[in-house]
Amino acid sequence: DGLPKVLASSVAKCDVDIRQDLYHNIVLCGGNSMYDGLSQRIEKELKKEAVQFGDKIRVIAPPERSYSAWIGGSIAASLSTFEEMWVLKEDYDESGPAIVHRQCT
């Protein structure tokens, strides 16, 4: 199955009351989303998959999407609630990779 079918399947598993909002706010991110015409193709194929939502389907492809993961990571790291999950180099050196699972659960 292609990406539009996976998207339609995922949205179909969500509460019926939010499906229209989900279809109206599909955001592409990451380097692989930079292919020319990808957002238009996904939108066109989704409109065939989810006919009942038709013109409500919108695929957003922000120009900075190749950096979205870095931007999101930067925002998350700057939150005070995220600070308790930080792993210091000294702690990592002492405990190894297992510290990540203990610290982030």
Side-chain angles (χ1 to χ4, degrees):
D1 289 339
L3 188 54
K5 285 189 182 198
V6 172
L7 285 167
S9 174
S10 296
V11 171
K13 293 176 183 174
C14 295
D15 188 89
V16 69
D17 294 332
I18 65 167
R19 291 178 189 168
Q20 182 173 322
D21 289 333
L22 292 174
Y23 274 119
H24 192 68
N25 293 291
I26 297 169
V27 180
L28 299 182
C29 63
N32 286 334
S33 70
M34 299 299 290
Y35 290 109
D36 286 336
L38 181 64
S39 61
Q40 294 89 346
R41 180 176 175 187
I42 290 174
E43 190 169 310
K44 178 182 167 189
E45 292 183 23
L46 261 180
K47 286 179 179 180
K48 292 178 191 173
E49 272 311 304
V51 178
Q52 68 274 30
F53 294 98
D55 62 347
K56 304 284 190 234
I57 294 173
R58 179 179 67 164
V59 177
I60 303 162
E64 69 281 354
R65 65 189 178 272
S66 64
Y67 305 108
S68 296
W70 291 103
I71 293 168
S74 173
I75 292 168
S78 69
L79 298 173
S80 61
T81 54
F82 189 76
E83 190 172 335
E84 62 194 42
M85 291 189 279
W86 289 0
V87 176
L88 301 176
K89 181 183 181 331
E90 296 81 24
D91 295 337
Y92 185 87
D93 289 343
E94 182 180 313
S95 302
I99 187 83
V100 175
H101 298 288
R102 285 197 307 269
Q103 205 66 6
C104 298
T105 55

